[in-house]
Amino acid sequence: MSALLDVKNLRVSFPTPRGPVEVVRGVSFTLGRERLGIVGESGSGKSMTGRSILKLVRAPGKVTADRLSFDGIELTAQSERQMRAIRGARISMVMQDPKFSLNPVMTIGEQIAEALLTHQTLPRSEIRARVFAMLESVRINDPERVAKLYPHEVSGGMGQRVMIAMMLIPEPDLLIADEPTSALDVSVQAQVLDIINEQIVGKGMGLILISHDLNLVASYCDRILVMYRGEVVEACKASELGQTKHPYTRGLLAAMPRIDENRDELPVLDRSAWATA
Amino acid sequence: MTAISLKNLDISYGHTQITHGVTLDIAAGASFALVGESGSGKSTVLKAIAGLAPQWKGDIAVNGKPRSHGIDRGFSKMCQMVFQDPYGSLHPRKTIDTTLSEPLDIHGIGNQGKRVEETMAAVGLDRRFRFRFPHQLSGGQRQRVAIARALMLEPRILLLDEPTSALDVSVQAEILNLLKRLRREQGLTYLMVTHNLPVVSFLCDRLAVMRGGRIVEVADVAQLKAGTLVDPYSRELLAANKGHALESA
Amino acid sequence: MANVTDWLLDDSPASRMQARLGRTYRIVLALAKNPLAVVGAIIVALLIVTALAAPLIATADPIAQNLSQRLLPPSADHWMGTDELGRDIWSRVVFGSRITLTIVLLVAVIAAPVGLVVGAVAGYFGGWTDRILMGITDIFLSMPKLILALAFVAALGPGIQNAIIAIAIAAWPSYARIARAETLTFRNSEFIAAVQLQGASATRVIGRHILPLCTSSMIIRVTLDMAGIILTAAGLGFIGLGAQPPLPEWGAMISRGRTFIVDQWWVATMPGFAIILVSLGFCFLGDGLRDVLDPKQGEKQ
Ligand SMILES: Nc1ncnc2c1ncn2[C@@H]1O[C@H](COP(=O)(O)OP(=O)(O)OP(=O)(O)O)[C@@H](O)[C@H]1O
Ligand SMILES: Nc1ncnc2c1ncn2[C@@H]1O[C@H](COP(=O)(O)OP(=O)(O)OP(=O)(O)O)[C@@H](O)[C@H]1O
Ligand SMILES: [Mg+2]
Ligand SMILES: [Mg+2]
């Protein structure tokens, strides 16, 4: 199976008044038509990695890579116009902050319809039906009401599901999902992930799931990359995450409370202990 | 004494009724969790208590006093809210210092500099963050600022709307430890919305499960830990959580 | 020097002052890296200096007539020549900068805040307040600026004060629209809910929390509009409804010089140059400010 996405030595840096700061330092991985998880603490560069694949890193940020090829297309060589044709239609991304990424003055229904229409034209009635069907499939029970709401009028979890609906509706080849389910309870989360899974199995879509929820990533993905300070510090099979040896991953695991929690205080990462090592 | 008492609370937005007959009693000093399906109206209950969702029928009493439908100044000293999203809940053009002294300014409380520093210390924020802007802070630091802001007026009750769901596990652990310590030190009452049952076990002593705008079960956390919740939906949630948990060696 | 820069760029400032100065310094630094913005800033600075020091810079009295020296071409004595009444054009252009600057500043001082407040109030309260305020705004907005200003000057009578009022009346509605649109995007955000919960009054929420977020787009917009305002003022002057003779208003000067445009080109051209230069200056500066202040470019994340 040829790789859907091949990333080699990806770097993202930001200029600051005190010189450039690299926030992603030489990340390399390949992705087939499978589910890849990226975990890591806040600020470790997970989102930047995802964004740079779509060339969505904002103005002062600079992205370089030895290779960044998607389905045989070298993304680094694409013009902004060519990228626009790829975004949404072939690669789409669920952004981390749904309230921030949705247009606050447009209704949910209009925004999903727009996502649908950017790459094809459809009759009005069909659009309505598709929008409602998509909302229903992400477990929104009353799509007719929700389609008329503005982003601030939906609950946190609904906002995230709306984002997922918007990104799945054009049926992309690769989905980058940045913390897509952080505001969802486990049961809805499982159902929403099933929808994504259907497209992976049915259409051969590839998935990059960015999350800080180790349980989620371990149970849902095939492979996992652990990032720290812009670097991949560990790559393993999802089933092996529980047995990881890396102190950083172990720290993350220990910091999670459990359902039968009896500890009085949760251990937090002691970064100084091994960051220098 | 009950800190928050809700009786037959029906909250609506426009013509849509969101909750149906929510009844709850939360003792002073308790840490109470509200869990349940996404979109079931958990945040809406908190907003109604705070005065941000003014369209309700039924009774809300806080510290024995009935609540009015809007926001009122007296209430703001009794009860404050921490929002879910640390990225959206801080004013992007104001320094941490301004954000934290604003409540003092509104209520005409003096000695602002000292109070800001004390509260920052209480939530574990270093002094050097005081004059930074929110975009210069990480998610966890921002959430600490949001908690500090809620504490500025020294309320006895905190309404927490998923305070850690946008944070990664290591930062979540820090914030949870912080909330636990603050409650111990200051005797606060928490009403916390979360979808994360392990967080409930760690921080709370009672919980209510919501679905479709109704409370389906109120239980002790011991029941949650032992897995003896009664309602079918609560059991479903619990089972989903169990199936999800990672076996770590 | 290095110390001062370090102090200004400090990531963790020690006082409000340092934080504020640091922010200003960063903006200035970013502006300085934008060549067009620098050109714009220099032109605007020149305009201000010229207006302040007009008596020092001018070589003659701008309204002193000398009929023996009518319509002289540019020379060492009269750098820009003289007009049909023998007045020194250079001095008139220099003194004219005062009028231009006054118009621009007064319009900005009247129109921008009015538009800002109307827009923010409409956006914040919504409902009927919004409908009524925006209805009024739209009525004004539906008419071309120059024609609206013309109508008001015609009603109020010609003169520089009336011209300023008329231009301000024509200018505020677009500011109100922008301010409302911006207010709508964050009026439901959590940081606004948080200050409401702390017991802040509506006036305080609008004044302290909403307006500051609209100001940077307003500054950009006003700066970009300056060129239009100058042109409108010149237009009014040109048709005799703005500043009245003998005031050296640039538009009025062009209007009078137009009769001699073929044989004595400098009479109309010199003030024309001044208008173009200053308008361009404001445009460049506005463009630069947009790059620097627009939150979408850098502030967020
Ligand atoms: N415009 C910018 N200028 C400078 N640094 C930036 C900018 N945007 C992001 N960064 C830095 O890039 C780093 C990586 O950010 P990124 O958003 O990828 O983190 P993340 O791993 O997604 O974290 P989280 O879990 O909190 O979302 C952070 O340290 C952040 O401070
Ligand atoms: N301002 C509003 N106008 C209209 N409907 C609203 C508004 N705010 C919330 N709703 C609706 O109220 C319902 C409950 O929302 P709420 O935010 O309370 O859910 P929640 O239980 O907190 O869910 P989540 O876990 O996803 O945050 C949703 O169906 C939502 O669409
Ligand atoms: Mg991220
Ligand atoms: Mg909620």
Side-chain angles (χ1 to χ4, degrees), chain A:
Chain A
M1 191 171 63
S2 79
L4 182 61
L5 182 72
D6 186 359
V7 177
K8 198 165 236 159
N9 195 19
L10 175 70
R11 290 172 183 274
V12 179
S13 68
F14 282 96
T16 67
R18 302 173 173 196
V21 177
E22 277 206 327
V23 298
V24 176
R25 324 178 195 198
V27 166
S28 307
F29 62 89
T30 59
L31 175 82
R33 300 195 176 266
E34 57 174 342
R35 294 163 297 192
L36 174 73
I38 302 184
V39 295
E41 66 168 341
S42 183
S44 54
K46 309 184 294 291
S47 304
M48 281 302 151
T49 306
R51 281 171 160 269
S52 48
I53 293 170
L54 274 176
K55 300 222 277 185
L56 279 176
V57 175
R58 286 219 188 86
K62 263 215 198 78
V63 181
T64 58
D66 293 351
R67 188 155 67 235
L68 194 63
S69 71
F70 163 73
D71 203 12
I73 308 169
E74 181 59 43
L75 294 177
T76 40
Q78 301 294 299
S79 70
E80 183 55 32
R81 246 187 74 202
Q82 289 166 311
M83 278 314 289
R84 268 202 292 272
I86 292 178
R87 278 183 212 134
R90 304 216 54 202
I91 312 180
S92 63
M93 179 164 181
V94 177
M95 297 282 183
Q96 185 163 12
D97 190 339
K99 293 254 162 100
F100 221 66
S101 318
L102 291 171
N103 183 342
V105 290
M106 236 169 119
T107 64
I108 300 290
E110 284 166 4
Q111 294 188 54
I112 299 181
E114 194 170 83
L116 182 60
L117 289 180
T118 34
H119 303 290
Q120 55 186 321
T121 45
L122 287 171
R124 273 181 92 93
S125 56
E126 164 112 28
I127 297 172
R128 250 174 81 89
R130 288 275 297 272
V131 168
F132 288 170
M134 201 64 221
L135 281 174
E136 236 161 34
S137 73
V138 289
R139 297 272 304 150
I140 287 178
N141 305 327
D142 42 359
E144 263 158 76
R145 178 179 73 91
V146 174
K148 286 200 214 90
L149 297 178
Y150 287 92
H152 74 271
E153 296 175 335
V154 299
S155 79
M158 286 158 88
Q160 287 195 329
R161 285 179 281 160
V162 166
M163 276 303 284
I164 294 174
M166 263 172 78
M167 292 306 142
L168 285 181
I169 209 166
E171 305 194 330
D173 293 302
L174 169 62
L175 177 69
I176 303 171
D178 194 353
E179 309 274 10
T181 57
S182 64
L184 298 179
D185 62 85
V186 271
S187 76
V188 174
Q189 187 177 68
Q191 287 160 341
V192 168
L193 291 176
D194 281 345
I195 311 289
I196 299 181
N197 215 9
E198 266 167 35
Q199 291 213 4
I200 295 172
V201 177
K203 260 201 69 207
M205 181 178 77
L207 172 74
I208 298 180
L209 180 67
I210 299 173
S211 176
H212 57 247
D213 185 341
L214 296 162
N215 284 328
L216 168 79
V217 173
S219 61
Y220 188 71
C221 292
D222 304 314
R223 275 190 310 130
I224 292 177
L225 303 179
V226 182
M227 282 187 72
Y228 178 70
R229 291 202 171 176
E231 286 171 55
V232 175
V233 292
E234 186 166 12
C236 65
K237 281 215 192 99
S239 51
E240 292 160 4
L241 188 65
Q243 284 82 45
T244 172
K245 292 280 163 336
H246 200 282
Y248 173 61
T249 321
R250 293 233 58 91
L252 283 179
L253 282 173
M256 268 189 309
R258 305 198 200 148
I259 195 120
D260 49 354
E261 189 57 65
N262 286 315
R263 287 174 289 185
D264 209 30
E265 192 166 321
L266 295 170
V268 293
L269 282 183
D270 181 11
R271 294 179 179 80
S272 57
W274 55 277
T276 46

Side-chain angles (χ1 to χ4, degrees), chain A residues 41-42 97 145 157 161 182-186 212 215-216 218 242 250 253 256-257 259 261 264-266 268, chain B residues 16 37-38 84-85 165 167-169 172-174 177 180 195 197-198 201-202 225 238 241 244 246-247 249:
Chain A
E41 66 168 341
S42 183
D97 190 339
R145 178 179 73 91
R161 285 179 281 160
S182 64
L184 298 179
D185 62 85
V186 271
H212 57 247
N215 284 328
L216 168 79
R250 293 233 58 91
L253 282 173
M256 268 189 309
I259 195 120
E261 189 57 65
D264 209 30
E265 192 166 321
L266 295 170
V268 293
Chain B
T16 331
E37 204 174 30
S38 167
Q84 172 171 3
D85 174 12
S165 78
L167 305 174
D168 74 283
V169 284
Q172 163 174 300
E174 289 170 25
N177 288 337
K180 202 164 196 176
H195 58 263
L197 294 181
S201 320
F202 177 72
K225 289 182 187 175
L238 195 57
N241 244 289
H244 192 66
L246 185 70
E247 327 268 299

Side-chain angles (χ1 to χ4, degrees), chain B residues 29-232:
Chain B
S31 169
F32 195 99
L34 203 52
V35 301
E37 204 174 30
S38 167
S40 59
K42 306 179 298 287
S43 306
T44 304
V45 169
L46 292 201
K47 283 186 191 157
I49 298 172
L52 292 172
Q55 215 187 324
W56 48 263
K57 288 203 291 281
D59 295 300
I60 302 179
V62 176
N63 282 342
K65 279 197 217 104
R67 264 305 267 131
S68 69
H69 283 246
I71 296 165
D72 66 65
R73 278 170 61 109
F75 180 74
S76 58
K77 284 189 161 177
M78 224 149 47
C79 176
Q80 279 291 328
M81 181 156 168
V82 176
F83 294 90
Q84 172 171 3
D85 174 12
Y87 295 89
S89 65
L90 299 181
H91 195 291
R93 292 292 167 82
K94 300 212 178 276
T95 59
I96 308 313
D97 179 62
T98 329
T99 300
L100 294 184
S101 25
E102 180 73 5
L104 302 177
D105 233 18
I106 292 171
H107 290 266
I109 300 169
N111 205 359
Q112 299 185 353
K114 187 159 152 280
R115 279 184 172 237
V116 168
E117 291 207 347
E118 279 170 8
T119 316
M120 283 182 69
V123 298
L125 271 177
D126 199 284
R127 287 179 53 169
R128 69 200 156 92
F129 295 123
R130 185 165 162 198
F131 296 99
R132 287 203 190 179
F133 288 92
H135 71 264
Q136 293 169 303
L137 302 186
S138 74
Q141 289 162 346
R142 288 178 198 219
Q143 198 60 302
R144 281 168 197 260
V145 175
I147 294 173
R149 172 178 62 193
L151 292 173
M152 285 314 290
L153 293 172
E154 304 181 349
R156 310 309 313 151
I157 303 170
L158 278 191
L159 307 172
L160 304 159
D161 191 358
E162 312 218 19
T164 59
S165 78
L167 305 174
D168 74 283
V169 284
S170 61
V171 184
Q172 163 174 300
E174 289 170 25
I175 297 287
L176 291 177
N177 288 337
L178 164 70
L179 287 170
K180 202 164 196 176
R181 176 170 62 79
L182 285 174
R183 182 158 88 99
R184 200 170 50 229
E185 287 172 3
Q186 309 191 5
L188 300 173
T189 307
Y190 290 159
L191 172 54
M192 178 166 88
V193 168
T194 177
H195 58 263
N196 189 329
L197 294 181
V199 168
V200 177
S201 320
F202 177 72
L203 193 67
C204 302
D205 24 61
R206 279 169 72 69
L207 77 154
V209 183
M210 274 187 87
R211 183 179 206 190
R214 290 169 214 278
I215 292 196
V216 296
E217 180 166 11
V218 179
D220 269 341
V221 162
Q223 282 173 272
L224 173 71
K225 289 182 187 175
T228 56
L229 297 179
V230 197
D231 183 81

